[in-house]
Amino acid sequence: MTSALSPLIHLVDDDAAVRDSLALLIGTVGLRVQPWSDPQVFLSQFERDDVGAIVLDVRMPGTSGLAVLDMLVAQGVDQPVIMLTGHGTVEMCRRAFKAGAAEFLEKPVDDELLIEALQAAVRQHVRSRERLQADRQARARYAQLSGREREVLGLIVAGLTNKEIGRALTLSPRTVETHRANLFAKLEADSLAQLIRGYAALVDEDTA
C-alpha cells in the first residue's frame, strides 16, 4: 500500500503539545496523520472519502468533542471515532458510546492502547468501505438484468430446479438455461453459492 493510499488519522485536539506527541506516536506504525487544532475548521475541511479514523478530544474551547461527534454522525460520516479526555466520567463515556464512538480513552493515553484502538478502527473502516463498494457493484450488475432474468433469478434463489422454473414461467428448458447462463454472466457469478450469497438480499428487496 503506498503512502498516498494508506489510512489517514485525523487528530483533533486544541493542545499543540498533545497533537505533536500523538502525531509522532501514530506515525511510528505507518499511519498518516492530519492534525487539527480547531474542530470547526476540521468539520468544514476534512475529506469524508478518506479511509482511516478520527481521534477527537472531548474538551475543546468553542465546540466540545461530543458535539463534534454528534455532527459527524448527523452528516453520515463513516470513519470510526476514538474519543480522548483528561477528565472522563462514566456519564461522558456512556454518552460517547451511545453517540457512536468506537473507543473512549483517558489522558494521559496509554500508547499501546491507542495504537491498538486505531489499528482496530482502521481495519473496521477498510472492511466497511469494501462491503459498501461490493454492494454498489452488485447493485450495478443486478440493474443490468432483464425483467425475465430477474424472475428466473428469484426462482433460482428460492431453490427451484430448471424444470420447475420452466413450469412456473411457462418456458422451455432450453430458454431457462439461456436465461440462467445470461444472468450468471451478467452477475459475474461462478457458482450457485456465490450467486445466492451475493444477490439473494437484492432479490428480496426487489420483490418486497
Side-chain angles (χ1 to χ4, degrees), residues 53-99:
I54 298 166
V55 177
L56 188 57
D57 188 34
V58 170
R59 293 183 184 272
M60 292 181 286
T63 307
S64 75
L66 289 172
V68 173
L69 176 61
D70 288 340
M71 285 182 245
L72 291 171
V73 172
Q75 292 173 14
V77 171
D78 67 343
Q79 283 97 332
V81 177
I82 295 171
M83 306 293 294
L84 303 182
T85 180
H87 311 278
T89 64
V90 171
E91 173 59 24
M92 189 181 291
C93 182
R94 186 194 66 80
R95 188 183 158 195
F97 281 123
K98 189 175 180 182

Side-chain angles (χ1 to χ4, degrees), residues 42-60:
F42 160 71
L43 283 168
S44 66
Q45 294 184 8
F46 94 100
E47 289 292 334
R48 269 67 172 166
D49 290 338
D50 288 337
V51 172
I54 298 166
V55 177
L56 188 57
D57 188 34
V58 170
R59 293 183 184 272
M60 292 181 286

Side-chain angles (χ1 to χ4, degrees), residues 134 138-139 141-142 145 149-160 162 165 176-177 179-204:
R139 288 179 182 278
R141 294 189 195 109
Y142 184 76
L145 298 183
E149 286 164 352
R150 291 188 188 197
E151 287 180 316
V152 172
L153 175 61
L155 295 176
I156 291 173
V157 168
L160 274 65
N162 283 358
I165 292 171
V176 173
E177 274 296 337
H179 286 313
R180 185 185 180 106
N182 287 343
L183 68 87
F184 263 82
K186 287 181 180 179
L187 299 179
E188 298 181 20
D190 298 322
S191 66
L192 180 60
Q194 185 183 352
L195 186 82
I196 293 171
R197 187 168 59 246
Y199 297 96
L202 288 179
V203 170
D204 292 342

Side-chain angles (χ1 to χ4, degrees), residues 108-128:
V109 180
D110 180 282
D111 291 358
E112 285 189 17
L113 277 181
L114 178 60
I115 292 301
E116 285 176 9
L118 278 172
Q119 291 175 328
V122 167
R123 285 195 298 270
Q124 172 197 329
H125 195 224
V126 169
R127 286 194 299 267
S128 171

